[in-house]
Amino acid sequence: MKKILASTMMLATFALAGCTSTGTTNNGTGTAIGTANEIGMNVFRAAIDNQCRSQIEKQNAWRVASVAMTEAQQESVKTNVCGCVSEQAPQQVTIVELGNAAIDSQYRTQLVAQVVAKSLQSCYTSFVQ
């Protein structure tokens, strides 16, 4: 029942996004899908950023490095690293995975954790060196 309700809400969101979109397409369908995709990706990026910040603080390397930093420097590093992770996120997921994440919160949590795990270390290393 929850999945049906969630699916209905997603369809309503797509429909409303189409109503608020402006573009050059004749029928507006492409613009509505693009807008809905962009909204979904923004929500996904926010979830990635939150998970990234949480994961950074759990890493031993961060604990050691952050001792020598001010709070402003720590926040700057977190912002840069998690911005990198968030930018890499769209290249690591498919539209199907995003759709599943929009409907199923457990799947969304797993997907976000996987994406962060894949790119956190490379981004962290590039900014801390």
Side-chain angles (χ1 to χ4, degrees):
M1 183 66 181
K2 286 184 181 181
K3 287 188 179 186
I4 293 172
L5 178 61
S7 296
T8 304
M9 289 177 64
M10 287 299 296
L11 289 174
T13 301
F14 290 144
L16 291 174
C19 293
T20 60
S21 297
T22 58
T24 59
T25 55
N26 292 337
N27 62 7
T29 304
T31 304
I33 292 170
T35 301
N37 185 35
E38 185 176 328
I39 291 168
M41 191 55 72
N42 287 339
V43 170
F44 183 67
R45 281 189 181 130
I48 293 289
D49 186 71
N50 288 336
Q51 177 73 18
C52 176
R53 288 173 182 273
S54 172
Q55 289 300 314
I56 281 178
E57 292 176 359
K58 293 178 183 177
Q59 290 192 357
N60 288 333
W62 173 256
R63 290 180 186 150
V64 171
S66 66
V67 171
M69 295 184 217
T70 66
E71 285 188 38
Q73 289 170 325
Q74 290 176 16
E75 186 58 33
S76 176
V77 170
K78 285 181 189 177
T79 299
N80 288 334
V81 170
C82 293
C84 171
V85 171
S86 295
E87 288 300 315
Q88 289 183 6
Q91 295 137 11
Q92 296 183 20
V93 296
T94 66
I95 192 73
V96 172
E97 289 173 321
L98 283 177
N100 290 337
I103 295 170
D104 185 351
S105 63
Q106 288 181 328
Y107 183 82
R108 179 174 49 249
T109 302
Q110 291 172 351
L111 183 61
V112 167
Q114 289 172 358
V115 170
V116 170
K118 285 181 185 177
S119 56
L120 180 61
Q121 194 61 44
S122 65
C123 287
Y124 181 73
T125 302
S126 69
F127 283 104
V128 173
Q129 289 180 346

